[in-house]
Amino acid sequence: MLLTWLQSSLSSSILSCVLGSIHVFQVWEKIHDHFQKLTRAKAHQLCTKLRSTTLDNKSVSEFLLHIKALADALASIRDPIIPEQHVDVILEGLPSNYNSVIKSKFKPMLIEEVEALLLVNEMQLKK
């Protein structure tokens, strides 16, 4: 009875994933596996976007917000990046006119320090 109720409550796209299940635990396992695969695919997609993010024609603020949004999205699916990776992503996305900031990459820096340096550097470049 529980199996019938559970199957009747599923959307047609999810129901197709659990066809052939004869026990409730099999339905749960198949649903779990399906969403686990979707989550891993989303994490991979977000990591790829994060690694390919560059300053391009964005302002530093927009660039930093974009990276933070991607990092937050990864954290929301329980695949957070560590602060050192966050700093590396920021520094690797910068063009050569930010060399003074990039040179400091070999010193351990907090995300907030990197962001402040970039914003100051952007203001200096605009002058």
Side-chain angles (χ1 to χ4, degrees):
M1 189 162 78
L2 184 57
L3 178 64
T4 304
W5 172 81
L6 187 57
Q7 288 175 331
S8 69
S9 68
L10 296 173
S11 68
S12 57
S13 61
I14 300 300
L15 187 58
S16 65
C17 295
V18 300
L19 289 178
S21 301
I22 53 176
H23 299 287
V24 172
F25 77 89
Q26 291 172 320
V27 171
W28 284 116
E29 284 177 351
K30 288 179 180 181
I31 290 171
H32 180 266
D33 290 345
H34 173 73
F35 285 104
Q36 189 71 25
K37 288 176 189 172
L38 290 177
T39 302
R40 280 195 307 269
K42 184 66 175 175
H44 179 71
Q45 177 189 29
L46 290 168
C47 284
T48 301
K49 278 185 177 179
L50 197 57
R51 285 191 303 266
S52 64
T53 299
T54 57
L55 184 60
D56 291 333
N57 296 326
K58 300 179 208 96
S59 71
V60 170
S61 297
E62 291 170 333
F63 171 67
L64 295 172
L65 284 173
H66 183 72
I67 289 174
K68 177 143 179 37
L70 291 171
D72 289 346
L74 279 165
S76 75
I77 58 174
R78 297 189 176 160
D79 194 10
I81 62 171
I82 60 173
E84 291 82 8
Q85 288 173 315
H86 193 134
V87 170
D88 286 345
V89 166
I90 292 170
L91 296 177
E92 288 166 6
L94 296 173
S96 61
N97 57 342
Y98 284 86
N99 277 339
S100 62
V101 178
I102 294 171
K103 287 178 185 174
S104 65
K105 182 178 179 178
F106 300 105
K107 297 182 238 171
M109 296 178 72
L110 298 174
I111 295 167
E112 294 80 11
E113 293 173 319
V114 172
E115 290 174 346
L117 274 172
L118 287 174
L119 291 169
V120 167
N121 197 13
E122 181 183 48
M123 288 178 3
Q124 290 172 345
L125 287 173
K126 284 182 180 179
K127 289 180 180 179

